[in-house]
């Protein structure tokens, strides 16, 4: 799968590098997944690349730079085998591990890109995604002009927007090197409008949270206790957290998962593999970005490609069971 009309081959699966960034804070709330083992993160990324996963997605704010550094270490000597996307829009303090504000000017965008290049230790970022989902649509021309300048200078190859707003997507799509949009897409949250506009515009859909932050993998129940600093925990959850309530999996989502579990695990798939199979069946333009913390998780997710997508009949049955038919 290519990134829109750009000559950037993504493959069918991406690895999401938020969790390996370690602790950080956004708007005075925890935004990390707890402490991380960098050696394990590097082993996981190496395993994914060796298994043929091409697309690695990170952001400047994940661990306030730490995730980018780990990705940069992982791809040394293998840069030609991977496509790297990172994000801009939110400013951060690398030492204090906290966000400090939002981009305001073209100079902020350029500086953020250059900081990411430094941390990743690469010459060119393949895809630069705008991270502010509610940025004013009427200012999209500022984004396009600045991002096209970065393309001309060889600092990036293409760009997109992390947004679930069709109007914003259409605005940025006017840019010659815009290739797609990142949005929530999983078996419980189907964003039909964004998938449709990607089809209409010939853009790529990048599916974030394919596992509802781990809830859909079946690993968690009412007795689950998350470690300190994990944004899914009761004490550290940011105000927007809905997948986990009071530190426990959202029961409504667990009930829905139970209803479709048999279909998702058909053919010997794990639940996680079934969730990826649902996305592949949902749209041929959609690439899921699977988060991870361990090598085992990466290997499981990469192996999902061997099973392929769910069948049309299975997709219809899931829709009926979830009351969406």
């Amino acid at each position: 799968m290519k990134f829109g009309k750009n000559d950037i081959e993504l493959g069918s699966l991406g690895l999401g590098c938020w969790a390996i960034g370690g602790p950080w804070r956004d708007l005075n709330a925890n935004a990390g997944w707890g402490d991380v083992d960098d050696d394990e993160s590097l082993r996981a990324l190496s395993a994914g690349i060796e298994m043929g996963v091409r697309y690695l997605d990170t952001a400047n704010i994940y661990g306030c730079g730490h995730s980018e550094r780990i990705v940069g270490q992982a791809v040394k000597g293998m840069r030609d085998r991977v496509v790297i996307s990172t994000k801009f829009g939110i400013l951060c303090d690398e030492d204090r591990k906290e966000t400090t504000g939002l981009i305001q000017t073209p100079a902020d965008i350029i500086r953020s890109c250059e900081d990411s290049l430094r941390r990743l230790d690469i010459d060119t970022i393949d895809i630069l995604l705008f991270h502010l989902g509610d940025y004013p649509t009427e200012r999209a021309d500022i984004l396009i002009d600045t991002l096209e300048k970065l393309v001309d200078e060889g600092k990036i190859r293409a760009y997109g927007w992390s947004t679930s707003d069709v109007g914003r997507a259409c605005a940025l799509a006017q840019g010659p090197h815009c290739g797609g949009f990142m949005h929530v897409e999983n078996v419980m949250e189907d964003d039909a409008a964004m998938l449709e506009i990607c089809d209409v515009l010939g853009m790529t859909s990048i599916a974030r949270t394919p596992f509802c932050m781990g809830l859909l993998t079946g690993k968690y129940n009412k007795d689950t206790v998350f470690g300190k600093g994990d944004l899914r925990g009761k004490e550290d959850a940011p105000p927007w957290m809905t997948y986990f309530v009071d530190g426990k999996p959202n029961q409504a989502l667990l009930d829905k998962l139970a209803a479709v579990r048999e279909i998702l695990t058909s053919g010997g798939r794990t639940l996680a593999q079934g969730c990826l199979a649902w996305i592949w069946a949902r749209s041929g333009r959609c690439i899921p970005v699977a988060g991870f913390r361990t090598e085992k998780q990466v290997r499981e997710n990469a192996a999902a490609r061997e099973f392929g997508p769910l069948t049309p009949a299975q997709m219809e049955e899931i829709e009926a069971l979830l009351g969406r038919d």
Side-chain angles (χ1 to χ4, degrees):
M1 180 190 305
K2 293 188 183 296
F3 184 59
K5 300 172 184 177
N6 297 280
D7 189 24
I8 301 175
E9 181 59 51
L10 300 177
S12 60
L13 177 69
L15 298 182
C17 301
W18 179 2
I20 66 172
W24 58 287
R25 297 184 68 79
D26 178 40
L27 299 175
N28 294 317
N30 178 61
W33 301 60
D35 292 331
V36 289
D37 179 341
D38 290 343
D39 290 336
E40 179 68 14
S41 300
L42 290 168
R43 286 192 294 269
L45 286 166
S46 295
I49 296 170
E50 289 300 325
M51 293 181 72
V53 177
R54 290 185 53 80
Y55 180 39
L56 310 180
D57 174 72
T58 184
N60 67 320
I61 57 173
Y62 296 166
C64 292
H66 189 70
S67 175
E68 288 184 327
R69 291 193 184 90
I70 294 300
V71 170
Q73 291 179 44
V75 304
K76 287 190 182 301
M78 298 187 288
R79 181 66 182 94
D80 60 338
R81 296 170 59 181
V82 298
V83 169
I84 297 174
S85 71
T86 192
K87 305 180 190 73
F88 75 99
I90 306 172
L91 306 174
C92 63
D93 187 300
E94 296 182 48
D95 295 324
R96 298 203 309 267
K97 297 293 183 185
E98 62 184 18
T99 58
T100 57
L102 308 177
I103 61 106
Q104 300 294 333
T105 66
D108 289 336
I109 299 173
I110 294 168
R111 188 180 309 113
S112 181
C113 175
E114 291 174 343
D115 285 344
S116 289
L117 284 167
R118 168 179 54 81
R119 289 187 292 261
L120 287 162
D121 196 20
I122 58 178
D123 296 324
T124 304
I125 294 166
D126 297 301
I127 301 169
L128 190 60
L129 298 173
F130 189 37
H131 215 167
L132 297 182
D134 58 354
Y135 188 78
T137 308
E138 60 270 21
R139 300 190 68 193
D141 58 332
I142 297 174
L143 297 176
I144 293 172
D145 290 346
T146 307
L147 292 167
E148 287 294 330
K149 178 181 178 181
L150 290 172
V151 172
D152 291 342
E153 294 175 350
K155 292 178 181 178
I156 68 174
R157 296 173 65 194
Y159 52 85
W161 198 334
S162 180
T163 181
S164 294
D165 184 88
V166 169
R168 290 179 171 88
C170 289
L172 195 71
Q174 302 306 307
H177 290 88
C178 179
F181 311 101
M182 176 175 280
H183 59 93
V184 172
E185 185 67 33
N186 58 65
V187 66
M188 301 298 166
E189 301 169 292
D190 181 24
D191 193 337
M194 283 301 297
L195 293 178
E196 181 180 2
I197 200 62
C198 285
D199 278 338
V200 170
L201 298 174
M203 296 286 165
T204 298
S205 159
I206 304 172
R208 61 182 176 91
T209 60
F211 306 137
C212 291
M213 303 185 78
L215 185 148
L216 299 184
T217 64
K219 294 185 297 184
Y220 307 120
N221 55 46
K222 62 182 180 63
D223 298 318
T224 297
V225 177
F226 294 98
K228 183 174 177 55
D230 192 315
L231 79 169
R232 297 169 295 180
K234 182 177 181 179
E235 302 300 326
D236 296 292
W240 48 262
M241 176 58 68
T242 57
Y243 299 135
F244 297 84
V245 180
D246 290 329
K248 299 177 181 178
N250 185 319
Q251 189 59 50
L253 291 178
L254 286 181
D255 292 343
K256 290 181 179 180
L257 181 61
V260 299
R261 174 187 286 267
E262 185 175 349
I263 303 172
L264 293 177
T265 56
S266 61
R269 295 181 179 92
T270 65
L271 268 174
Q273 291 170 339
C275 289
L276 297 175
W278 183 88
I279 291 173
W280 289 323
R282 181 64 181 87
S283 170
R285 289 189 177 277
C286 192
I287 176 172
V289 171
F292 68 94
R293 296 188 67 172
T294 67
E295 179 182 349
K296 180 180 178 182
Q297 291 170 339
V298 168
R299 291 189 178 279
E300 176 185 350
N301 295 334
R305 296 170 300 171
E306 299 173 11
F307 295 97
L310 297 180
T311 67
Q314 288 173 319
M315 294 293 284
E316 290 180 9
E317 188 175 358
I318 286 175
E319 292 300 290
L321 288 169
L322 296 179
R324 298 196 302 231
D325 59 335

